Amino acid sequence: MMHFDIEKFFVDAGLTRISTEDSWRGTYSIAGYAPRIVIHSYPGVGDVVIRRPDNQVLYVESKKGNLSKGKVSTEYGLMREAIGQLMTCERYSNFTELAVAVPHSDKSKELATRWSRLPQIKNSGIRFLLVNEAGNVLKI
């Protein structure tokens, strides 16, 4: 199972934790910037919430799991679950951006590329963020 160390990623990127909920949840900031990144586990809101200076709010639904090595695709279920959670987000407005973050694999890349072309995904504005073990993000 790929587990993304979000706290290490933030520290390496120059963010500082400014509030603590528990071992990984909390609010992070970068010195000199007003926007904050909030990591939480409240249902129906996205796992990561970023309010940008232009008042846009980015909700990211993140999923972790075993990457498929056989005929059964675990990525398919993870990504569909995240899309469903974003589509039922109760705080959605004209100022909302939506993204799905999942482990990077050939299958997740293939699904994200194919699904990002679907009219319902385009109309909702959902983006896909594929994260590898080093913390690099491929945006689709």
Side-chain angles (χ1 to χ4, degrees):
M1 177 179 296
M2 182 178 150
H3 180 77
F4 180 66
D5 187 346
I6 195 161
E7 189 162 25
K8 179 182 180 325
F9 175 78
F10 281 166
V11 168
D12 291 348
L15 282 89
T16 304
R17 184 186 287 223
I18 58 174
S19 75
T20 304
E21 292 183 30
D22 67 21
S23 62
W24 60 273
R25 295 175 191 94
T27 302
Y28 297 80
S29 70
I30 297 176
Y33 292 91
R36 304 282 191 255
I37 298 174
V38 179
I39 309 298
H40 63 85
S41 59
Y42 307 127
V45 184
D47 298 313
V48 178
V49 178
I50 303 171
R51 181 171 300 279
R52 298 184 349 196
D54 62 1
N55 279 339
Q56 289 288 111
V57 179
L58 172 62
Y59 292 119
V60 181
E61 191 62 47
S62 305
K63 297 294 172 201
K64 66 180 179 181
N66 294 319
L67 300 178
S68 60
K69 294 186 179 18
K71 291 187 177 196
V72 178
S73 169
T74 56
E75 291 91 339
Y76 182 87
L78 292 174
M79 293 171 73
R80 284 184 57 112
E81 179 183 356
I83 291 167
Q85 289 175 301
L86 289 172
M87 294 303 293
T88 58
C89 178
E90 296 180 11
R91 295 189 186 174
Y92 186 85
S93 76
N94 291 335
F95 299 103
T96 305
E97 292 184 53
L98 304 173
V100 169
V102 294
H104 185 283
S105 70
D106 290 341
K107 186 63 176 181
S108 62
K109 183 177 181 182
E110 181 251 311
L111 290 170
T113 301
R114 184 173 41 154
W115 290 351
S116 66
R117 296 183 190 126
L118 296 172
Q120 61 271 37
I121 298 295
K122 283 182 177 180
N123 291 340
S124 69
I126 292 175
R127 295 181 290 167
F128 295 93
L129 308 173
L130 310 181
V131 184
N132 69 15
E133 291 184 33
N136 299 313
V137 179
L138 174 63
K139 299 173 192 169
I140 296 179

